[in-house]
Amino acid sequence: MSKIAVLGSGVVGEVLANGFLKHQYEVMRGSRDPSKLAAWKVGAGPKAQVGTFEAAAKWADSIVLAVKGTAALSAIEQAGIASLSGKTIMDATNPIADSPPENGVLKFTTDLNESLMEKLQKKAPEAHFVKVFSSVGNAFMVNPNFPGGPPTMFICGNDAAAKTEVKGVLEKFGWDISDMGAVQAARAIEPLCMLWCIPGFLRNEWSHAFKLLKK
Ligand SMILES: NC(=O)c1ccc[n+]([C@@H]2O[C@H](COP(=O)([O-])OP(=O)(O)OC[C@H]3O[C@@H](n4cnc5c(N)ncnc54)[C@H](OP(=O)(O)O)[C@@H]3O)[C@@H](O)[C@H]2O)c1
């Protein structure tokens, strides 16, 4: 796995694309309008390309999904379900609703009995979705440096080989890894985004990450 498509022109797409480039992968960022990524491409160097969702998904060995949660199902359709087949999809999305948070608590478009990643996995059954990067702010996704040591990235997904691949990425990106099992565990992982954001919305505190303590 050396060619990574990063579907997303937002800040998460940028941070993760730069992270993969830093760790010697080739990257194509995808957008409905690739021209908006032209300046990024110039600064990102010779291993960086831009294209449509479809072009990026076709070209890649593995794919990062970093689009708005409410657009995620449509974005994978635009990428082409056939192009996702057999590929690892690193799913950073959260199903955040358009309505504002209530006392700092984000609203979701999903409920606790079906996550966004389950819906994505159903729509693209041959793709290997792995939930990852969804439970931390973008500033800390790549090689976070906390005084308490590496924070924990919670992942899940149905395909063992895809999770092994993602664990390799997370080791390079400086994370402790906690594998929570199959796709249904995204019901628990996606809401960690709500918890992570509460101190931000209430007290403007955005510099933290979760750590699972064990004995
Ligand atoms: N921000 C964070 O720190 C953070 C942390 C963890 C997880 N996340 C999750 O990561 C994802 C990306 O977040 P973000 O803040 O970088 O950006 P964002 O504003 O949530 O998403 C931007 C991307 O969504 C795409 N998009 C929007 N509407 C679309 C539509 N109708 N059809 C297809 N694509 C559409 C845009 O496509 P175009 O390029 O075509 O405009 C763009 O690539 C979100 O799901 C978010 O919840 C964010």
Side-chain angles (χ1 to χ4, degrees):
M1 167 186 106
S2 61
K3 288 156 66 179
I4 307 289
V6 178
L7 309 185
S9 61
V11 63
V12 174
E14 176 155 344
V15 162
L16 291 175
N18 291 343
F20 279 101
L21 287 169
K22 170 181 152 185
H23 289 285
Q24 315 305 325
Y25 295 82
E26 286 180 67
V27 172
M28 189 187 296
R29 281 182 77 191
S31 168
R32 288 168 298 176
D33 175 13
S35 67
K36 70 165 89 160
L37 296 167
W40 172 82
K41 181 179 179 296
V42 170
K47 286 188 160 186
Q49 302 181 57
V50 299
T52 60
F53 288 141
E54 190 184 9
K58 262 193 195 145
W59 167 87
D61 300 322
S62 301
I63 296 166
V64 173
L65 186 62
V67 297
K68 193 169 184 256
T70 51
L73 287 159
S74 163
I76 64 166
E77 243 173 32
Q78 292 169 51
I81 301 297
S83 303
L84 310 184
S85 182
K87 295 181 182 174
T88 298
I89 318 291
M90 292 170 254
D91 174 23
T93 64
N94 281 308
I96 298 172
D98 287 330
S99 41
E102 200 177 334
N103 285 333
V105 182
L106 283 167
K107 299 219 174 112
F108 267 24
T109 57
T110 49
D111 66 33
L112 286 173
N113 297 313
E114 193 184 30
S115 61
L116 177 56
M117 195 168 84
E118 289 170 271
K119 293 177 199 268
L120 292 164
Q121 184 66 78
K122 272 183 199 147
K123 194 163 188 73
E126 306 298 328
H128 304 314
F129 282 87
V130 180
K131 199 88 217 174
V132 61
F133 298 121
S134 62
S135 59
V136 71
N138 64 81
F140 306 109
M141 287 179 178
V142 181
N143 301 109
N145 184 8
F146 285 94
T152 305
M153 184 62 74
F154 297 95
I155 69 167
C156 69
N158 287 345
D159 189 85
K163 286 197 285 190
T164 300
E165 186 182 315
V166 171
K167 286 173 190 171
V169 169
L170 288 171
E171 278 162 16
K172 289 182 187 163
F173 283 26
W175 284 89
D176 173 52
I177 302 158
S178 195
D179 182 347
M180 290 289 152
V183 65
Q184 290 80 7
R187 297 174 197 174
I189 296 175
E190 289 171 1
L192 291 176
C193 149
M194 301 166 81
L195 188 64
W196 190 89
C197 287
I198 288 172
F201 289 127
L202 293 184
R203 300 184 293 276
N204 203 25
E205 293 169 10
W206 301 99
S207 298
H208 46 266
F210 298 123
K211 174 105 184 150
L212 188 65
L213 300 177
K214 299 176 201 161
K215 61 185 276 188

